Amino acid sequence: MNRWVGSIFLCIISTLLLMSWSVVAEGETCSGIVPMQYRNDKISILDFGGVGDGWTLNTKAFKEAIFRIQHLKRKGGTLLYIPAGVYLTGPFDLTSRMTLYLASGAVIKATQDPSQWPLVDPLPSYGRGRERPGARYMSLLHGDGLHDVIITGENGTIDGQGDVWWNMWRQRTLQFTRPHLVELMNSRGILISNVIFKNSPFWNIHPVYCSNVVIRYVTILAPTDSPNTDGIDPDSSSNVCIEDSYISVGDDLVAVKSGWDQYGIAYGRPSHGITIRRITGSSPFAGIAVGSETSGGVVDVLAEHISLFNMGIGIHIKTNIGRGGMIRNITVSNVYMENARTGIKIAGDVGDHPDENFNPNALPVVKGIKIKDVWGEKVLQAGLIHGLKNSPFSGICLSNINLHGNPGSQNSIWKCSDVSGAAIQVSPFPCAELTSSQQTGLQEIHVQSHRHHHQKVSYHYHKGSDHQGVLTVFLASGCVHSVNGGGHIIAKDA
């Protein structure tokens, strides 16, 4: 049996199984991993001298309020209430078993005085600040080793006033790496919801070395020309749920990461169990991204029901030599994009290095990437897949993808190298490196499962193919783990 026959059947099986899940997914939520906690003990920032006039510096008030929560340790934790007003502040640490609650009209506004921003150590999986060697500025809201932390409210705002930082970056006058709006490290049981984040100096929300994190019903805003203002970057973290949010920023909307070159390889903590669902947004960079810092590995990522407008790249999986790590079992489905420079890009030549000590022989492994049910309008370049010569990308499965160019113009072709996989009903016609349904001779193929209704899809296959052998190839390849309920393939020759 030809290898490409196995690839095409593999992609068909994967597509049909995903079809049965897509209807359910529209109403699904992963947010139950961190339930909302009701806290009987409540205090107000006003009780600690907080002044919401937009001019008074409230760093001391926030620190004293959180010190009270930390040391009194009320049963069930404590809610810190921020009433309407504009509360200027420098960075401060959160604590465990607390809720930071922003009322309607409440604004926590970051000071633009860099001298008010303490320095913290670089992340061990990065080895240095992401932009500058050495230390980095502490995030506006920061925490390390915490549990049971909630940031929520009535769509109050956390404003990073990032323009002063963006200008320092543009003018190359930064001494240290810019601060995030929120960074929680080595923490678990984190819930962030119903808050507006705007004008972050750097990345907006950065859970790193965390587990059980829910981010939903948030709005994240920054100008399109604001540098590196990623929306949400789960980093070397597990069981992360990102849902029902709007993001419009100057860099990737959501980017899954896991450390940088030799430092990330040595730290060895992957990101896994990441769910991204019902996200809408725009950016000159990527909508859904994996990387480019993936040295600890990124596995088991599901992104679905995504709406993207005015994008640089719709779906971007990116890594580089020296990264090492494995990118595996990434599924992206039900995506609509409009006005994008590139629809889909999977590349091994993206991103810089922390220093000259990276190992050029540390090659990433990219396999088991499934992208399905994608519709694009005004997409200039349909897709690019550039693997690495000494580490080709494998198990790439594209199905039901339609990426249309501008009206009256002809879509540019796909460009691929060092990649293998399958493509089913992809328009414009996919690159030759991916075995395509348009190349085969099948009239009907049925996938029958003991748990699901009989399903049928029409393609082409070679008469007399060994269908059981094809299924064996599917299972061995890892693109599907099993046919649900012990089902089997029934095929009708052309």
Side-chain angles (χ1 to χ4, degrees):
M1 181 187 66
N2 292 335
R3 179 176 57 85
W4 62 263
V5 175
S7 295
I8 205 69
F9 272 87
L10 171 63
C11 200
I12 290 169
I13 298 297
S14 177
T15 299
L16 289 173
L17 292 176
L18 284 169
M19 282 169 55
S20 68
W21 302 333
S22 61
V23 174
V24 179
E26 292 182 6
E28 283 187 351
T29 179
C30 48
S31 61
I33 61 173
V34 184
M36 181 69 74
Q37 298 286 341
Y38 180 81
R39 308 202 192 274
N40 291 314
D41 188 42
K42 299 180 179 66
I43 58 176
S44 170
I45 193 66
L46 303 182
D47 300 334
F48 299 86
V51 179
D53 60 4
W55 297 99
T56 303
L57 193 64
N58 289 276
T59 312
K60 183 172 181 288
F62 277 105
K63 289 182 176 181
E64 289 184 354
I66 292 169
F67 182 87
R68 185 266 189 197
I69 297 171
Q70 183 179 12
H71 288 83
L72 288 185
K73 297 181 180 178
R74 297 295 191 197
K75 183 178 180 180
T78 298
L79 181 147
L80 174 56
Y81 182 78
I82 315 299
V86 179
Y87 299 86
L88 186 70
T89 182
F92 56 89
D93 283 291
L94 302 176
T95 191
S96 295
R97 298 193 310 148
M98 75 166 287
T99 297
L100 179 65
Y101 190 97
L102 284 77
S104 177
V107 179
I108 296 176
K109 181 174 284 189
T111 176
Q112 291 187 310
D113 180 0
S115 69
Q116 296 293 318
W117 294 74
L119 296 175
V120 295
D121 292 335
L123 294 169
S125 59
Y126 283 74
R128 46 160 282 180
R130 185 58 186 80
E131 297 180 296
R132 301 288 299 165
R136 59 206 180 96
Y137 289 105
M138 175 180 170
S139 60
L140 182 64
L141 275 61
H142 185 263
D144 191 356
L146 307 183
H147 63 88
D148 189 13
V149 176
I150 298 172
I151 302 171
T152 190
E154 303 162 20
N155 291 316
T157 300
I158 299 176
D159 183 353
Q161 293 207 99
D163 54 339
V164 65
W165 300 97
W166 308 333
N167 287 333
M168 284 193 286
W169 181 86
R170 294 178 183 120
Q171 296 162 9
R172 300 185 178 182
T173 58
L174 276 171
Q175 292 183 302
F176 304 98
T177 296
R178 288 173 285 159
H180 310 299
L181 269 189
V182 178
E183 182 178 74
L184 296 172
M185 305 168 54
N186 304 298
S187 298
R188 57 183 170 83
I190 307 300
L191 173 59
I192 301 174
S193 72
N194 300 94
V195 175
I196 299 169
F197 298 87
K198 62 185 292 189
N199 298 328
S200 177
F202 196 43
W203 303 344
N204 278 266
I205 303 175
H206 185 218
V208 57
Y209 319 139
C210 289
S211 63
N212 289 20
V213 178
V214 172
I215 303 168
R216 68 190 312 226
Y217 302 134
V218 299
T219 299
I220 303 177
L221 305 172
T224 57
D225 64 347
S226 56
N228 308 106
T229 51
D230 294 26
I232 304 170
D233 287 2
D235 197 341
S236 292
S237 292
S238 59
N239 297 331
V240 178
C241 173
I242 302 168
E243 290 184 335
D244 301 300
S245 296
Y246 178 80
I247 306 172
S248 179
V249 290
D251 212 305
D252 299 341
L253 305 187
V254 179
V256 184
K257 302 176 180 291
S258 66
W260 200 10
D261 284 10
Q262 69 270 29
Y263 304 106
I265 294 171
Y267 196 74
R269 180 161 177 174
S271 279
H272 64 92
I274 314 292
T275 302
I276 305 160
R277 185 182 284 130
R278 296 183 296 272
I279 301 298
T280 300
S282 61
S283 166
F285 286 84
I288 301 301
V290 173
S292 67
E293 303 90 342
T294 56
S295 299
V298 176
V299 297
D300 299 333
V301 175
L302 170 65
E304 59 184 358
H305 302 289
I306 311 296
S307 299
L308 305 172
F309 302 89
N310 303 317
M311 298 301 306
I313 302 171
I315 302 162
H316 196 184
I317 297 172
K318 46 186 174 175
T319 184
N320 208 337
I321 61 168
R323 291 286 193 269
M326 174 175 284
I327 300 174
R328 177 176 55 83
N329 195 23
I330 312 297
T331 301
V332 183
S333 69
N334 297 97
V335 177
Y336 175 79
M337 64 181 76
E338 183 177 311
N339 192 22
R341 185 176 69 250
T342 303
I344 297 168
K345 184 175 181 180
I346 306 174
D349 57 356
V350 179
D352 54 0
H353 303 286
D355 51 47
E356 296 180 354
N357 297 320
F358 71 93
N359 179 6
N361 295 317
L363 300 179
V365 174
V366 178
K367 62 186 297 185
I369 310 297
K370 296 180 276 292
I371 302 175
K372 69 177 290 282
D373 294 341
V374 178
W375 186 274
E377 300 283 352
K378 300 179 183 179
V379 179
L380 298 182
Q381 169 70 57
L384 301 167
I385 307 179
H386 290 158
L388 295 169
K389 182 178 180 180
N390 294 322
S391 184
F393 298 169
S394 63
I396 309 299
C397 180
L398 309 179
S399 64
N400 192 27
I401 295 173
N402 292 273
L403 298 170
H404 303 279
N406 288 314
S409 65
Q410 185 176 0
N411 263 24
S412 57
I413 62 173
W414 285 75
K415 296 181 180 180
C416 301
S417 61
D418 299 302
V419 60
S420 64
I424 298 174
Q425 292 195 341
V426 174
S427 177
F429 196 87
C431 47
E433 289 84 351
L434 299 179
T435 302
S436 169
S437 62
Q438 291 96 318
Q439 301 169 346
T440 60
L442 151 107
Q443 183 179 25
E444 288 184 358
I445 181 167
H446 301 255
V447 177
Q448 196 167 35
S449 169
H450 299 160
R451 297 181 185 174
H452 297 285
H453 294 299
H454 189 267
Q455 300 175 14
K456 179 178 76 176
V457 63
S458 294
Y459 293 108
H460 298 279
Y461 78 106
H462 280 261
K463 185 175 181 178
S465 294
D466 176 3
H467 306 308
Q468 185 59 46
V470 169
L471 180 56
T472 301
V473 171
F474 295 166
L475 298 175
S477 73
C479 190
V480 291
H481 298 292
S482 65
V483 177
N484 287 354
H488 56 283
I489 297 175
I490 306 170
K492 180 179 179 182
D493 289 343

